[in-house]
Amino acid sequence: MPRYLSIIDSAYRATIEEQDDTAVWFTHAMKNGGADVSILLRGDAVSYALMNQDAKGLRFGSRAVKGPDMVRDLKAVVERKIPVHLVADDLAERGISASQTIPGIEHIARDGIARLIEGHDRILSW
């Protein structure tokens, strides 16, 4: 069975329309369909791993828009035993401490990305 790696490097893309991140949702759906999948958060997407984030608050006039709940979504992914990795260098460049991230997410150095990719047969880049 092929191994898939979803590389997500753009945060909050289409989350207003969908109320979730399409890449995270799709990867979770692939796992539910029996696929062997992993996620790599890099670039701005490392912010998805923050434990106390809140992307709510967008309003159009008096109408509030329900924002995504990335903490809930990533915790569900981790609980489903989908390996989630994040690039620790990208986290540090954004001034985010590793202690602020959701438990169960593996932190890797930027120079470890190639080894992670080598362990997968198919790459999905979002």
Side-chain angles (χ1 to χ4, degrees):
M1 172 171 30
R3 295 189 68 214
Y4 294 86
L5 176 63
S6 284
I7 301 175
I8 306 169
D9 63 8
S10 179
Y12 301 103
R13 170 185 73 280
T15 55
I16 298 303
E17 298 89 351
E18 302 294 332
Q19 278 76 53
D20 57 24
D21 181 278
T22 307
V24 174
W25 176 87
F26 186 74
T27 304
H28 200 167
M30 287 177 65
K31 176 69 170 184
N32 289 341
D36 186 356
V37 295
S38 301
I39 294 175
L40 172 63
L41 301 173
R42 58 175 289 182
D44 289 336
V46 297
S47 65
Y48 282 177
L50 290 175
M51 183 58 114
N52 295 315
Q53 67 174 292
D54 182 359
K56 298 176 184 83
L58 180 62
R59 301 184 72 78
F60 292 98
S62 63
R63 183 170 184 232
V65 177
K66 180 183 174 202
D69 189 342
M70 295 311 303
V71 174
R72 177 203 62 213
D73 294 349
L74 276 179
K75 281 182 174 180
V77 165
V78 169
E79 288 171 6
R80 187 71 171 92
K81 305 293 186 216
I82 298 171
V84 179
H85 313 273
L86 68 75
V87 178
D89 304 273
D90 292 341
L91 204 63
E93 286 171 3
R94 285 154 180 80
I96 303 169
S97 167
S99 66
Q100 294 176 276
T101 61
I102 297 167
I105 295 178
E106 181 184 353
H107 297 218
I108 66 168
R110 186 172 287 128
D111 64 6
I113 294 173
R115 283 188 302 282
L116 182 64
I117 289 172
E118 287 174 356
H120 293 81
D121 304 301
R122 300 205 169 88
I123 307 299
L124 305 170
S125 183
W126 303 88

